[in-house]
Amino acid sequence: MKSRMLFAVLIVLALVLAACAPAATEAPPEPTAAPAAPAATAAPAAFECTDAIGCVDIAPGDPVHLAYALSVSGATAGLGEDARGAIEIAIDDVGGQLLGHPLSLTGEDTLCNAEGGQAAGTKLAADPTIVAIVGTTCSSEARAAMPQISQAGMVMMSASNTNPDLTNPDHPDHWPGYFRTATNDIFQGRVAAEFAYNELGVKTAATLHDGSPYAESLQQVFADNFTALGGTITAQEAINVGDTDMTGVMTSIATGAPEMLYFPIFEPEGGFVADQAKSTPGLENVILMGADGLLADTFPENAGPAAIGMYLSSPAVSGPEYDALLAKWKTKFGGVPPSGYHAMAYDATNIFFQAIEAVAVVDADGTVHVPRQALRDYLYALKDYPGITGTLACDANGDCATGEALGVFQLTEAEVTGGNWPPKVIWQQ
């Protein structure tokens, strides 16, 4: 019996010792591989210009460089000053800055002739910092300047070039990168002819030009439209720039006894023509009509009493936005603009601002890159731009005006002797 009890005690003791023994230690896990270090974040790729004709690169703090090519001295200075003032007001309106960069404006005096245009074009085309150019004043300047400007990849937009050849893709004077907010003379010549024939009842007219692309083409458009309406062109004569004695050509024109003399030329020749026409036998009562090239505040006084009653076709802009531009002009410069293309220059400058902002690539540090072909493409595709000269759209050849902002002005004694400017618009289509 004692043996059985002893055996039971030993069994219980063994069970107790087994329960109290520590559990077997599990083998430690195999060390895992250290996590891979995160890949370094790739730096933003540096801008690479892939534009077909290059880019303008503007470093932080450097200006967005605009230029003008305008006639700002001599007898046609008023035409260029008119546009330059509007460009400066447009720059003021955006606070003098674009895309965080200051705007700078430099320019060349183009003198309203081919020689001045060529010199200006050569100099401007050699400056790679220029993004866009507002100009030229006269069509002859654009003809000479655009080959260099176009080949440099730049864009130029004129507020006052009206020669049809400049936007005729079949003419050698048409160059890529050329635009204008001025009205093509296809419109202006027709407006002048319709005013003469339909409103004044004129049936015979003579024309006179100075050999410039502007004057020669505009008088021809007038003559073509006047003839198509049923009128008769009695003579198409020419003078030279610099002529002061018009006796011979006036005598020749008088032999046809025209009711109207249409001479879309510039100063100072325009003043000599007006004055000497009225003193030529047979032309004492001839109706005088010029165009936008003579719509300058210096012309009435220079032409003298012969200019009283004279008609001028030119841009005629109105509306609250235009009134606001005139108010800014008065505040900045005093008085009123000296000619008729300031509104077109204001629109041209603001169109450039919109286009540059649309195509520019801006780096994180503020560097701006302007692709030149992209800038051209944007302008050629411009639609529904709300300008103060109307709703503008550029066609594939560079014409951006609609022709709707044209009218006929008449000079009175108030402009000739009273210092009044501008004259009143007496007719618009």
Side-chain angles (χ1 to χ4, degrees):
M1 183 67 179
K2 289 181 178 179
S3 298
R4 289 181 178 177
M5 291 181 62
L6 179 59
F7 179 74
V9 170
L10 290 173
I11 291 300
V12 171
L13 183 58
L15 293 172
V16 170
L17 291 174
C20 296
T25 303
E26 294 183 1
E30 292 293 329
T32 56
T41 302
F47 175 81
E48 180 181 358
C49 180
T50 58
D51 189 90
I53 56 175
C55 300
V56 184
D57 301 313
I58 306 167
D62 284 353
V64 176
H65 186 179
L66 300 182
Y68 66 78
L70 301 170
S71 179
V72 291
S73 68
T76 56
L79 303 177
E81 290 170 352
D82 186 77
R84 185 171 61 183
I87 298 168
E88 293 178 3
I89 291 173
I91 291 173
D92 291 346
D93 284 352
V94 294
Q97 292 194 339
L98 196 69
L99 296 168
H101 288 247
L103 281 160
S104 72
L105 178 67
T106 63
E108 296 296 321
D109 186 357
T110 46
L111 305 172
C112 196
N113 59 46
E115 293 77 14
Q118 184 168 25
T122 300
K123 191 167 183 179
L124 294 173
D127 186 344
T129 69
I130 293 174
V131 179
I133 303 165
V134 180
T136 57
T137 299
C138 301
S139 296
S140 56
E141 303 163 342
R143 171 189 277 182
M146 269 314 295
Q148 300 96 303
I149 290 172
S150 182
Q151 289 164 10
M154 297 178 180
V155 292
M156 184 169 81
M157 186 172 293
S158 173
S160 56
N161 293 162
T162 55
N163 180 274
D165 297 342
L166 297 170
T167 52
N168 178 358
D170 298 322
H171 196 280
D173 287 342
H174 177 254
W175 289 89
Y178 176 81
F179 302 85
R180 61 180 167 199
T181 51
T183 302
N184 190 315
D185 276 343
I186 291 174
F187 293 103
Q188 186 173 194
R190 176 176 57 78
V191 166
E194 291 179 351
F195 173 74
Y197 190 88
N198 295 330
E199 299 301 316
L200 298 182
V202 170
K203 305 304 179 191
T204 59
T207 68
L208 183 71
H209 67 84
D210 61 5
S212 67
Y214 156 77
E216 188 167 3
S217 68
L218 183 50
Q219 64 84 30
Q220 188 61 54
V221 175
F222 171 87
D224 291 344
N225 281 273
F226 189 73
T227 302
L229 289 167
T232 299
I233 297 297
T234 61
Q236 289 180 272
E237 297 281 358
I239 60 169
N240 297 308
V241 173
D243 285 353
T244 58
D245 183 359
M246 310 296 174
T247 305
V249 72
M250 290 299 110
T251 300
S252 176
I253 288 172
T255 61
E259 298 170 82
M260 171 180 278
L261 174 58
Y262 181 65
F263 55 109
I265 58 177
F266 297 101
E267 291 192 84
E269 294 82 8
F272 296 127
V273 169
D275 179 48
Q276 296 176 35
K278 289 291 189 177
S279 61
T280 300
L283 294 180
E284 298 90 339
N285 298 315
V286 73
I287 298 170
L288 300 179
M289 186 168 187
D292 47 330
L294 292 176
L295 190 79
D297 64 355
T298 52
F299 174 70
E301 293 184 3
N302 290 336
I308 296 175
M310 180 174 171
Y311 301 102
L312 298 166
S313 60
S314 195
V317 184
S318 60
E321 293 83 4
Y322 181 63
D323 292 341
L325 174 61
L326 294 180
K328 293 170 186 173
W329 186 288
K330 185 175 183 179
T331 299
K332 187 175 181 68
F333 304 111
V336 295
S339 187
Y341 282 107
H342 45 278
M344 284 69 179
Y346 183 82
D347 278 351
T349 308
N350 280 298
I351 287 173
F352 275 152
F353 292 163
Q354 176 175 302
I356 293 167
E357 289 184 316
V359 305
V361 177
V362 183
D363 291 345
D365 68 351
T367 299
V368 169
H369 311 278
V370 182
R372 291 195 183 276
Q373 184 61 53
L375 185 60
R376 287 183 178 181
D377 292 344
Y378 183 91
L379 293 170
Y380 283 121
L382 185 73
K383 303 293 182 189
D384 301 324
Y385 180 81
I388 61 174
T389 61
T391 301
L392 304 180
C394 298
D395 66 19
N397 303 316
D399 266 324
C400 304
T402 62
E404 62 192 49
L406 277 174
V408 175
F409 300 73
Q410 187 173 29
L411 299 176
T412 68
E413 190 166 357
E415 287 77 45
V416 174
T417 61
N420 180 64
W421 192 258
K424 290 182 179 179
V425 179
I426 62 164
W427 185 75
Q428 279 187 282
Q429 284 185 312

